[in-house]
Amino acid sequence: MRGNHVARKAGWDTHGLPVEIEVEKRIETDFGIRTAKQQIEKIGVERFNEMCRESVWRYKNDWESLSERIGYWLDYSDPYITYSNDYIESVWWALATMFRRGRLYRGHKVLPYCARCGTTLSSHEVAQGYKDVKDPSAFVALDLVDEKTVGRRRILVWTTTPWTLVSNVALAVSPSLEYVEVRKRKSEASETLILALSRVAAVLGDDFADRWETIRSFRGKELVGKRYKRPLDWVPYKEGKHEIIVGEDFVSAEEGTGVVHMAPAFGADDYAAGQRNGLAFLQPVDLRGEFPPDMPLVGGKFVKDADPVIIEELKRRGVLFKAAAFEHAYPHCWRCETPLLYYARTSWFIRTTEFKDSMLVRNSRVDWHPPEVGAGRFGEWLTNNIDWAVSRDRYWGTPLPIWVCDRDSSHAEAIGGYAELEERAGKSLGDSFDPHKPFIDRYSWQCSCGGTMTRTPEVIDAWFDSGSMPFAQWHFPFENKEKFERYYPADFIAEGIDQTRGWFYSLLAIATGLGDALPNNLLLHEMNLGAEKKSEGGASGNAVDTAPYRSVVVNDLVLDAEGQKMSKRLGNIINPNTVIPRYGADAVRLFLTTSSQIWTPRRFDEAGIRDTAGRFLLTFKNVYTGIFAEYANFGWSPSESDPKVKDRPLLDRWILSRLATVEREANEMLNRYEATNAAKAVMTFFDEDVSKWYVRQSRHRFYDVDGEDNRAAFATLHEILVVTCRLLAPFAPFITDWVHRELTGKSVHLTPYTRAVAAEADTDVDLERAMSHVRTLATLGRAAREDAGVKVRQPLSRMVCVVPLHGVVPVGAEKSTNALLDQLSPLLAAELNLKKIEFITSADDLVTLKARPNFRALGKKFGKATPLAAEAVQALSSEALRDFEAGKPLYVSVENESREVSADDLAIIRTAAGDLAVKEEAGYFAALDPKVTRELRLEGLAREVVSRIQRLRKELGFAVSDRVTLSVAGDAEILEAVKAFQQWIANEVLAVKVSVGEKNETHATHTFDLDGQSVQVALARVG
Ligand SMILES: [Zn+2]
Ligand SMILES: [Zn+2]
């Protein structure tokens, strides 16, 4: 619709834990096997991966049919598939490029680890799986040893992972923090306790001073080097220092006791402290997260399940000071929900910290919607970047293409493509080559040192697959170089807020890591090019200084009607396949786009679909079927003989101007990625301006297709419908396509979004403004009628109006505005059923404002002079008080001194002049003369009679065009009214003959009551 080609390439993310877990569950139900990872090796990786490959396509049909049903326009005939050989080869190329640039390395680190899945996870995966859980909170008092003092000295340690105490090797304190030694009052034993001063109240209670006395206080450095006795002695120490207090700056006094227990295998800080201090390393936990079977009490137990047993044992040994439950956010596996362990492992990393600054610069160039996600959530995430742990100890994934020598693990090489693999392996891969495990692990060759190069067994994080999508979908750099160069970087991407640490991150990290290996992907400051080379950058000017995407639209989650996150557990998931058939895809789409900005969380309320989007679509359809198709299709079609726009009535020119304005606004908003505002603008236009005003005011013009005025109305409505279809097509693609085809014979999706004519040319700002004044006055006039208790059908003689020109109409436009108001006044008169509209410039004669002084408030300001001040307030003019209401300062003069008064000092009383019913708002006044003269009364009765006859015509099943004969009998006043307006009544109800006062004997008579008077009407179809 905008003349750009979008490659609507569909894609399937097929690797990784989501797929593996689904298959494992199936193995569990089919074979009753629980500890799946170990069993996978039994079933065989080949068979397992085969099951994964099949499983990927399980939901293919559901996905494709839903896409089609909701008008999500993707080309499923040529998708990219992340498990395909081509895709994997591109990913290998990216990994090998990074490896060769020193940006992919192997390290031994403590990483978040899922014991069920048997693999480490990356920090961005961990960030997605935090859950509030109750863990034990244990305070342990450990004896200091080698002390020359007589009594027992103990140091207090806090942990929420008691299972790690089995592996304790040291305690850490902060050298600069202040610690205290306290003793229990009224205690016989000479026993003391050591903890951080600032934690005393939190640990021992606010009233600790009643029960404990402080013996002395000192800096943490005094403790460094002291020895203590560990709480559990099940694992023997080998090399390294142990049971020693070390000084570490990361220890804070924000929680716990200011003393941190160190288990270097199970915490990143502990690990680092272990390295710095040469501490022992105990890791008595296997890859399933279980203690060795021969360990006392907890042997074979999953560590988290061992916590209660360990707490019992600590109590038995007399080292447990106290224990309680502690609720905190703890990371869980984002796929299988197992609590993660921090576990020291050898893993492969992308050195993202090396190019963090470049990621930050690139991110700053991205146009984020909403901006705060880019600068806030995402920017902070990048600022705190740590290296990306990219390897996974799993099976169904892109194998890490790195081969390592069995003699010397520093001999390692990356394979960046299948041709390279053939060359190194010295054989053809053949047609049936599968780069997955286990097949890929059969390729090996001799290292230059004589050793054997075999592949490192890991596969990679599936997020690396998805982040490689820009180039891997085109099999770059092996194919499609030009195509990729043209498409990269993306103009915009859209995903959920949960992807800030997922896809948004992996895209950026990979693109930045690859740098100039990708086209159009260098930062200016990274480039070292001459000026003439830069100017070749292309017309877009975006060839440099960019992330893999120029703009991002981030949507928030869809919640249930109560604002709860949808989940299987709560059973509040809404199935699109039940909602869409009920309301239609257009209504669901419109609701999702417009009920709130798409980047705010949205409550999904079925009633909301019906009341907002559903109701709107009904209005839209009714204007087409109920008005246009009903009348215009009988004999009208667009033609040269339709009146030119400039020759059409003001009403037509006004709505066409509004159409042009909305067309321009919607287009501009979409250019700024403001989908919600754009859709809302078009809907409001159609609802308020077209349906509630234009069509209502024009209704009588649609009954005939021959007159000049009628053809103007049809041509105008046709234009409105056609253009509105186009403006709404991206939001409600089905109904707009249907209406557009009906009107023009063409699909709306193959027409330009905006008309070729410059939209401004059709815009008449003065006219739009004048009509807006008229509509405000119509609203006020209706309210005034209601106040006066006069029905709309009763004509009234006149309404006097004031339009505030100042600040509402541009300077110098008063004259043209007044002229337009005069021209539009017949519309207003017809809308309100009035004989005459008068415009005056000041409301002073309509409503008088008086100020009533507030003596108490004035007294505080004026003291003795209060009576004089009150007099001055009472004397304030209407005009001064109106200015005051409009926000201008107000002064009164007392004893030759001018003082400002405030809203508290007075109350403003309004009095309508004469008998007029006056309504005012923001400077607009509508003053209605409610007097019903004899003549107006008769006209009102005549209108009532017509309305009843029209209803009767419908009840009797007459066609709109049927001619009738009519006789009316009844009370004298009714007869007088019918006689006075006989011709008019005949025209309105299509009566060829009207007899008044005679009872008709041949036709059925219908009797009704009008204002207490009886009317008998007989009606017969002619011919
Ligand atoms: Zn898991
Ligand atoms: Zn070697």
Side-chain angles (χ1 to χ4, degrees):
M1 295 186 86
R2 292 296 312 275
N4 295 315
H5 176 251
V6 180
R8 296 181 178 276
K9 198 172 177 67
W12 300 100
D13 270 346
T14 55
H15 277 151
L17 277 178
V19 186
E20 292 195 53
I21 285 169
E22 168 122 1
V23 169
E24 285 181 31
K25 277 186 187 147
R26 204 132 37 88
I27 294 173
E28 200 174 311
T29 43
D30 293 358
F31 303 101
I33 297 170
R34 231 194 116 254
T35 49
K37 191 171 174 186
Q38 286 65 41
Q39 298 301 324
I40 290 167
E41 318 228 322
K42 249 181 221 166
I43 291 170
V45 174
E46 182 178 346
R47 174 81 191 105
F48 180 75
N49 274 357
E50 201 45 53
M51 288 173 81
C52 287
R53 188 190 289 264
E54 285 160 18
S55 161
V56 165
W57 301 117
R58 252 188 136 182
Y59 304 106
K60 181 171 183 282
N61 289 340
D62 290 351
W63 192 252
E64 288 186 4
S65 64
L66 181 65
S67 296
E68 186 171 330
R69 183 69 182 85
I70 62 174
Y72 179 44
W73 199 2
L74 282 182
D75 178 7
Y76 283 104
S77 67
D78 180 30
Y80 67 83
I81 300 161
T82 59
Y83 76 47
S84 71
N85 286 14
D86 282 355
Y87 198 96
I88 289 174
E89 189 173 27
S90 289
V91 175
W92 275 18
W93 164 80
L95 290 162
T97 303
M98 291 205 204
F99 181 80
R100 285 163 195 161
R101 294 183 177 192
R103 290 178 165 181
L104 175 58
Y105 69 96
R106 184 164 54 177
H108 188 252
K109 290 188 185 182
V110 172
L111 290 171
Y113 177 81
C114 176
R116 197 219 68 91
C117 296
T119 186
T120 54
L121 298 175
S122 62
S123 53
H124 60 82
E125 287 172 304
V126 174
Q128 294 174 46
Y130 273 88
K131 282 209 280 193
D132 284 332
V133 290
K134 276 207 174 115
D135 270 329
S137 159
F139 289 86
V140 183
L142 302 177
D143 284 288
L144 292 183
V145 295
D146 302 334
E147 290 291 291
K148 292 180 179 72
T149 47
V150 189
R152 187 181 187 193
R153 301 180 78 199
R154 299 209 290 172
I155 187 161
L156 200 58
V157 181
W158 178 66
T159 181
T160 56
T161 51
W163 63 268
T164 59
L165 290 171
V166 176
S167 312
N168 171 268
V169 300
L171 301 178
V173 296
S174 162
S176 56
L177 196 66
E178 192 157 6
Y179 291 79
V180 289
E181 188 163 357
V182 296
R183 180 168 53 201
K184 230 178 194 165
R185 297 180 191 276
K186 301 178 215 155
S187 170
E188 297 297 308
S190 167
E191 182 183 318
T192 62
L193 209 55
I194 295 167
L195 73 164
L197 169 66
S198 53
R199 300 303 303 165
V200 172
V203 175
L204 303 178
D206 287 330
D207 58 346
F208 70 93
D210 297 345
R211 286 171 288 112
W212 297 82
E213 58 181 325
T214 302
I215 295 168
R216 62 188 206 98
S217 70
F218 49 91
R219 298 275 159 199
K221 62 174 182 257
E222 224 181 85
L223 291 167
V224 173
K226 290 196 184 300
R227 303 190 56 90
Y228 68 97
K229 184 164 175 282
R230 64 170 165 171
L232 298 164
D233 49 6
W234 296 331
V235 190
Y237 289 119
K238 279 177 263 169
E239 62 202 38
K241 291 194 241 169
H242 52 83
E243 291 170 293
I244 186 163
I245 298 174
V246 296
E248 286 289 341
D249 290 331
F250 67 80
V251 177
S252 83
E254 271 155 36
E255 52 181 16
T257 61
V259 183
V260 181
H261 118 76
M262 301 274 94
F266 304 108
D269 285 336
D270 310 45
Y271 187 87
Q275 300 272 307
R276 274 191 294 270
N277 296 288
L279 300 177
F281 186 85
L282 302 182
Q283 196 169 22
V285 175
D286 67 13
L287 291 174
R288 283 172 297 193
E290 292 168 5
F291 286 113
D294 56 350
M295 186 171 284
L297 299 173
V298 296
K301 262 192 193 310
F302 178 58
V303 291
K304 286 246 160 200
D305 298 336
D307 278 342
V309 181
I310 286 169
I311 287 177
E312 268 314 302
E313 176 65 7
L314 293 170
K315 199 186 280 175
R316 198 186 64 77
R317 292 180 178 221
V319 291
L320 186 73
F321 181 74
K322 65 174 180 177
F326 174 70
E327 192 167 327
H328 64 158
Y330 189 86
H332 288 66
C333 178
W334 63 287
R335 278 299 170 184
C336 77
E337 302 194 348
T338 304
L340 299 178
L341 309 179
Y342 285 84
Y343 194 87
R345 292 226 63 189
T346 296
S347 236
W348 293 83
F349 298 85
I350 310 261
R351 209 183 297 278
T352 49
T353 47
E354 183 190 301
F355 48 84
K356 177 176 111 176
D357 290 345
S358 177
M359 288 197 284
L360 283 164
V361 172
R362 284 164 198 261
N363 179 47
S364 71
R365 307 280 156 84
V366 174
D367 180 20
W368 282 87
H369 302 271
E372 57 270 23
V373 173
R377 199 179 160 113
F378 194 60
E380 281 159 27
W381 172 250
L382 292 177
T383 306
N384 299 317
N385 186 263
I386 57 169
D387 284 351
W388 179 353
V390 77
S391 61
R392 296 289 175 273
D393 308 296
R394 298 291 308 184
Y395 311 99
W396 180 239
T398 297
L400 190 59
I402 293 174
W403 271 255
V404 184
C405 174
D406 62 354
R407 277 202 196 158
D408 182 342
S409 65
S410 71
H411 300 170
E413 68 179 305
I415 297 296
Y418 302 145
E420 277 180 37
L421 181 59
E422 283 189 331
E423 195 202 309
R424 299 306 272 131
K427 60 180 174 186
S428 157
L429 301 180
D431 292 338
S432 58
F433 171 68
D434 180 350
H436 288 95
K437 282 166 88 67
F439 314 106
I440 192 64
D441 293 319
R442 294 172 194 160
Y443 292 88
S444 61
W445 53 85
Q446 203 176 50
C447 180
S448 53
C449 77
T452 304
M453 300 291 279
T454 53
R455 200 185 68 83
T456 190
E458 297 93 338
V459 297
I460 61 162
D461 185 355
W463 294 97
F464 195 96
D465 282 356
S466 60
S468 301
M469 158 274 193
F471 51 90
Q473 66 175 321
W474 302 114
H475 194 207
F476 177 89
F478 306 98
E479 277 182 86
N480 300 315
K481 273 191 178 162
E482 280 167 26
K483 197 181 241 175
F484 174 55
E485 246 177 81
R486 206 167 68 236
Y487 283 119
Y488 186 86
D491 289 303
F492 101 101
I493 62 172
E495 250 290 6
I497 186 82
D498 50 325
Q499 296 297 324
T500 38
R501 285 149 195 199
W503 191 51
F504 297 149
Y505 174 67
S506 63
L507 281 170
L508 180 64
I510 293 169
T512 311
L514 289 173
D516 66 354
L518 295 178
N520 319 325
N521 192 44
L522 264 197
L523 282 185
L524 267 181
H525 78 260
E526 294 173 343
M527 286 175 84
N528 205 7
L529 297 177
E532 79 287 1
K533 192 81 187 278
K534 266 182 207 165
S535 65
E536 276 172 31
S540 73
N542 279 321
V544 287
D545 276 2
T546 183
Y549 35 83
R550 294 191 179 107
S551 298
V552 189
V553 176
V554 186
N555 62 279
D556 210 304
L557 296 177
V558 179
L559 310 172
D560 75 3
E562 272 75 51
Q564 293 259 22
K565 209 166 155 175
M566 292 189 200
S567 79
K568 266 189 199 159
R569 189 173 51 81
L570 294 174
N572 60 351
I573 289 178
I574 291 166
N575 183 347
N577 291 321
T578 60
V579 173
I580 291 166
R582 209 173 288 155
Y583 304 99
D586 280 341
V588 175
R589 288 177 59 123
L590 262 191
F591 172 76
L592 288 173
T593 317
T594 57
S595 57
S596 60
Q597 290 291 352
I598 59 170
W599 38 79
T600 55
R602 154 184 342 243
R603 291 175 182 215
F604 194 89
D605 179 8
E606 288 204 30
I609 305 179
R610 197 175 46 239
D611 298 343
T612 58
R615 197 192 51 77
F616 169 78
L617 289 173
L618 203 61
T619 302
F620 180 68
K621 181 173 164 282
N622 283 346
V623 170
Y624 172 67
T625 53
I627 303 290
F628 192 84
E630 174 98 3
Y631 300 107
N633 284 353
F634 296 99
W636 182 88
S637 57
S639 77
E640 285 298 309
S641 67
D642 292 332
K644 297 274 167 289
V645 171
K646 65 175 173 48
D647 300 326
R648 294 185 201 171
L650 270 186
L651 185 63
D652 292 358
R653 272 146 57 201
W654 165 74
I655 194 71
L656 289 172
S657 172
R658 286 288 305 128
L659 180 69
T661 301
V662 165
E663 182 180 36
R664 195 182 65 245
E665 286 173 355
N667 192 41
E668 285 169 3
M669 288 191 268
L670 286 181
N671 279 342
R672 295 195 302 265
Y673 299 96
E674 293 173 17
T676 303
N677 294 348
K680 272 185 169 169
V682 181
M683 287 165 74
T684 306
F685 159 74
F686 198 86
D687 208 19
E688 295 291 325
D689 294 345
V690 177
S691 167
K692 290 210 179 88
W693 192 253
Y694 178 75
V695 169
R696 237 162 64 96
Q697 301 297 337
S698 303
R699 209 166 264 276
H700 62 280
R701 301 167 65 200
F702 296 119
Y703 297 152
D704 203 338
V705 292
D706 299 327
E708 190 85 343
D709 184 42
N710 309 88
R711 294 214 313 281
F714 284 124
T716 303
L717 187 56
H718 186 267
E719 185 77 359
I720 293 168
L721 285 167
V722 168
V723 175
T724 305
C725 280
R726 294 175 188 175
L727 298 180
L728 281 178
F731 309 107
F734 296 102
I735 189 172
T736 53
D737 197 44
W738 172 64
V739 174
H740 195 269
R741 282 173 196 268
E742 292 280 310
L743 291 168
T744 68
K746 278 186 294 215
S747 168
V748 74
H749 305 296
L750 300 177
T751 57
Y753 190 66
T754 52
R755 292 168 292 183
V757 197
E760 280 95 82
D762 296 315
T763 312
D764 184 338
V765 185
D766 291 344
L767 178 56
E768 288 193 32
R769 197 185 308 112
M771 188 67 91
S772 145
H773 298 323
V774 164
R775 294 182 65 185
T776 305
L777 292 172
T779 308
L780 293 175
R782 273 192 292 270
R785 243 182 195 283
E786 228 164 79
D787 274 8
V790 187
K791 282 180 289 189
V792 178
R793 231 175 259 131
Q794 173 61 58
L796 290 175
S797 60
R798 67 183 186 120
M799 184 165 86
V800 184
C801 306
V802 177
V803 169
L805 296 179
H806 186 73
V808 177
V809 170
V811 178
E814 286 91 346
K815 215 172 152 195
S816 63
T817 301
N818 284 332
L820 281 166
L821 286 174
D822 278 340
Q823 291 178 62
L824 291 172
S825 66
L827 271 182
L828 187 55
E831 170 70 11
L832 295 171
N833 196 10
L834 302 168
K835 296 292 165 201
K836 200 167 74 181
I837 303 285
E838 291 164 34
F839 287 97
I840 58 173
T841 50
S842 159
D844 288 356
D845 298 337
L846 297 176
V847 176
T848 319
L849 270 58
K850 273 270 171 226
R852 190 169 60 204
N854 177 345
F855 282 90
R856 184 176 299 178
L858 289 171
K860 283 182 200 154
K861 272 186 201 165
F862 293 91
K864 270 188 222 153
T866 301
L868 289 172
E871 229 168 82
V873 165
Q874 267 167 328
L876 287 163
S877 70
S878 281
E879 198 185 358
L881 291 168
R882 286 214 167 87
D883 285 349
F884 179 56
E885 283 186 322
K888 283 192 191 157
L890 180 65
Y891 299 91
V892 293
S893 231
V894 178
E895 289 170 335
N896 289 329
E897 203 190 328
S898 182
R899 308 261 300 260
E900 188 172 351
V901 290
S902 66
D904 298 336
D905 298 335
L906 51 88
I908 294 176
I909 316 288
R910 322 179 96 79
T911 328
D915 299 327
L916 299 181
V918 184
K919 279 278 164 190
E920 62 167 296
E921 182 195 295
Y924 290 86
F925 285 82
L928 197 69
D929 184 349
K931 197 165 150 220
V932 180
T933 60
R934 178 81 190 147
E935 200 179 322
L936 290 171
R937 160 115 182 124
L938 293 182
E939 188 180 338
L941 285 172
R943 282 173 184 267
E944 292 287 357
V945 169
V946 165
S947 149
R948 298 303 175 104
I949 295 171
Q950 302 289 39
R951 210 182 301 164
L952 201 53
R953 283 183 58 114
K954 255 191 202 152
E955 283 165 17
L956 294 172
F958 293 0
V960 179
S961 56
D962 281 345
R963 312 269 142 173
V964 297
T965 59
L966 169 71
S967 48
V968 184
D971 291 358
E973 198 182 20
I974 300 284
L975 296 184
E976 192 186 345
V978 173
K979 272 184 196 148
F981 293 90
Q982 189 163 343
Q983 191 51 50
W984 177 75
I985 293 173
N987 287 343
E988 289 290 308
V989 304
L990 302 185
V992 292
K993 182 167 164 268
V994 181
S995 24
V996 187
E998 308 152 29
K999 276 248 164 91
N1000 190 308
E1001 305 300 335
T1002 46
H1003 304 303
T1005 310
H1006 307 267
T1007 302
F1008 44 81
D1009 180 275
L1010 273 188
D1011 238 8
Q1013 307 189 59
S1014 166
V1015 190
Q1016 293 96 45
V1017 169
L1019 209 54
R1021 210 175 344 208
V1022 178

